[in-house]
Amino acid sequence: MVTTSKASEPVPHAKVDKRVERSRHTVLVTAFKLLSESGVAGFTVDEVARRSGVAKTTIYRHWPTREALVMDACSQMIAKQETPDTGSLEGDVSAILLEIAHLLRTANWSFVLPSIVDTAERNPEFAEIHSRIQRGHAAPLREVLERAVDRGELSANGNVSTLVAALLGPLFYRRWFSREPVDDQFVKAIINLVLSTN
Amino acid sequence: MVTTSKASEPVPHAKVDKRVERSRHTVLVTAFKLLSESGVAGFTVDEVARRSGVAKTTIYRHWPTREALVMDACSQMIAKQETPDTGSLEGDVSAILLEIAHLLRTANWSFVLPSIVDTAERNPEFAEIHSRIQRGHAAPLREVLERAVDRGELSANGNVSTLVAALLGPLFYRRWFSREPVDDQFVKAIINLVLSTN
């Protein structure tokens, strides 16, 4: 399975698996880096092969199409954020939103996401990936809001989906649309605005 | 200036200007339509020439580069929204946001904007165009909020930039990120959430 192994030498299964795993990982890291630089449109398997040193034939063995590789690399972006439990709704929401604001300022996916959004407009398969990435971002926030409804800290009338959009939307708006700073002061002002009426 | 005119016949200036204007308009409309379909990445002057029937040399006479044509076509997207004056802050904000929600669901620029956002991540010239488009969208909203501060209907503490992001962000979030409906009920819930504390 790995182009560097000699066909004549029997290689133990575990060792092959480890090598395959390593080369898969290298390809995904390289692919994601290339996506950060040139977006979905400028992404080619040739360039991934050149940069990673993994043969194109090997890459195509794991990912039959360019699209499959892009999608797998994108899946790596799904934020694995922990759900905080500070005891109060405002504490939980602050912890989540300040972390997202930090990632919007620094994380690689923050440069790649517009390319996914754009591709999703014209490609239903990408739209599915994209909505998965989005659900990943929003899951901890949704969870702490639902917990607050159960605790009676938040009126059940306050629709959780609406609140998620009201809290995340302004951060995304500043990062990608108005291109204003997403600093901690702004995040706290939004939380104050949205939660004080509930 | 126009490829269909016969060089031997003298043509009145006004007539030439009108023809030039018409061919410019045809090119811009075609360019914008092509952008809607394939985004910035899939945009070529060849295809604009083919579809519009205007010669490539004529197109390049008006727009020296592909980028110049893309940017000019994008500028056409800037919403020429009127600033309403219903007499109340909530009335004004509702009129603006319900119209934007309608455009997000139906207007061509709603499909093209992600491509501009994506290109802006890597291209400062596009970033400038993009921020101009964005200021165009937000101008009437900013105006009615500032008017409400002057009238004393809105606390001057409520930072206008924060309020713009709090009102527009959730709509943009739903349209391009969570891909949930941006219906009138949602728009009203956001207005209620954001304005009731101010």
Side-chain angles (χ1 to χ4, degrees):
Chain A
M1 292 293 281
V2 177
T3 50
T4 48
S5 70
K6 291 174 198 160
S8 55
E9 256 177 45
V11 186
H13 266 306
K15 212 167 172 181
V16 172
D17 288 352
K18 220 170 170 179
R19 279 196 202 158
V20 169
E21 201 36 63
R22 204 160 48 219
S23 103
R24 269 184 65 92
H25 179 74
T26 305
V27 170
L28 283 174
V29 168
T30 309
F32 185 62
K33 197 162 176 304
L34 184 57
L35 278 173
S36 320
E37 286 172 29
S38 36
V40 176
F43 183 94
T44 65
V45 174
D46 276 321
E47 186 59 15
V48 174
R50 200 189 63 75
R51 292 188 183 195
S52 65
V54 176
K56 240 173 97 174
T57 47
T58 309
I59 296 177
Y60 277 119
R61 209 174 299 138
H62 292 296
W63 298 275
T65 61
R66 166 187 176 274
E67 281 64 34
L69 177 53
V70 170
M71 285 195 252
D72 208 5
C74 289
S75 305
Q76 310 294 315
M77 294 197 292
I78 300 177
K80 309 267 183 321
Q81 226 190 343
E82 297 283 320
T83 304
D85 196 354
T86 64
S88 82
L89 173 61
E90 199 176 327
D92 290 349
V93 170
S94 293
I96 292 171
L97 257 58
L98 290 171
E99 171 67 10
I100 290 181
H102 172 72
L103 293 172
L104 285 174
R105 292 191 299 264
T106 58
N108 266 337
W109 59 251
S110 153
F111 298 94
V112 180
L113 201 55
S115 183
I116 310 293
V117 172
D118 178 36
T119 311
E121 287 293 322
R122 279 170 283 275
N123 181 326
E125 245 185 310
F126 266 88
E128 171 47 35
I129 288 284
H130 178 230
S131 83
R132 219 179 342 129
I133 292 177
Q134 197 43 58
R135 285 197 297 274
H137 281 311
L141 184 57
R142 182 172 285 277
E143 197 180 325
V144 302
L145 290 168
E146 277 163 358
R147 218 159 52 193
V149 172
D150 291 344
R151 266 201 309 247
E153 209 182 330
L154 189 67
S155 147
N157 299 333
N159 183 294
V160 168
S161 281
T162 304
L163 289 173
V164 167
L167 290 164
L168 287 182
L171 278 60
F172 284 30
Y173 176 82
R174 281 217 164 177
R175 169 63 184 85
W176 288 298
F177 296 89
S178 75
R179 298 182 160 263
E180 292 164 278
V182 191
D183 51 31
D184 291 1
Q185 202 191 339
F186 171 73
V187 173
K188 284 172 190 164
I190 292 296
I191 294 173
N192 195 35
L193 203 55
V194 173
L195 293 188
S196 60
T197 40
N198 275 275
Chain B
M1 293 292 282
V2 176
T3 52
T4 50
S5 70
K6 289 174 199 160
S8 54
E9 257 176 47
V11 186
H13 265 307
K15 209 167 174 184
V16 172
D17 287 353
K18 220 170 171 183
R19 279 196 202 159
V20 169
E21 202 35 64
R22 204 159 49 216
S23 104
R24 270 183 64 91
H25 179 74
T26 305
V27 170
L28 283 174
V29 169
T30 310
F32 185 63
K33 196 162 178 301
L34 184 56
L35 278 173
S36 321
E37 287 172 28
S38 37
V40 176
F43 183 93
T44 65
V45 175
D46 277 322
E47 185 60 15
V48 175
R50 199 188 64 76
R51 290 187 184 198
S52 65
V54 176
K56 240 173 98 172
T57 48
T58 308
I59 296 177
Y60 277 119
R61 212 175 297 140
H62 292 295
W63 298 275
T65 60
R66 165 186 177 274
E67 281 65 32
L69 178 53
V70 170
M71 285 195 255
D72 207 6
C74 290
S75 305
Q76 309 295 316
M77 293 197 291
I78 300 177
K80 310 267 183 319
Q81 228 190 342
E82 298 283 321
T83 304
D85 197 355
T86 64
S88 82
L89 174 61
E90 201 178 324
D92 290 350
V93 170
S94 292
I96 293 172
L97 259 58
L98 290 172
E99 172 66 10
I100 291 181
H102 172 71
L103 292 172
L104 285 174
R105 291 190 298 262
T106 58
N108 266 338
W109 61 250
S110 154
F111 298 94
V112 179
L113 201 55
S115 184
I116 310 293
V117 172
D118 178 37
T119 310
E121 286 294 320
R122 279 169 283 275
N123 182 327
E125 245 184 309
F126 267 88
E128 172 47 34
I129 288 285
H130 178 228
S131 84
R132 224 184 334 132
I133 292 177
Q134 196 43 56
R135 284 198 297 274
H137 281 311
L141 184 57
R142 181 173 287 276
E143 199 181 324
V144 302
L145 291 169
E146 277 161 1
R147 219 158 52 193
V149 172
D150 292 345
R151 267 199 309 247
E153 208 182 332
L154 188 66
S155 148
N157 297 332
N159 183 295
V160 169
S161 281
T162 304
L163 289 174
V164 167
L167 288 165
L168 286 182
L171 278 58
F172 284 32
Y173 176 82
R174 280 218 164 175
R175 169 63 184 85
W176 288 298
F177 295 89
S178 76
R179 300 182 158 262
E180 290 164 279
V182 190
D183 52 32
D184 291 0
Q185 201 191 341
F186 171 73
V187 173
K188 286 174 188 162
I190 292 297
I191 295 172
N192 194 36
L193 204 54
V194 172
L195 293 189
S196 60
T197 42
N198 273 276

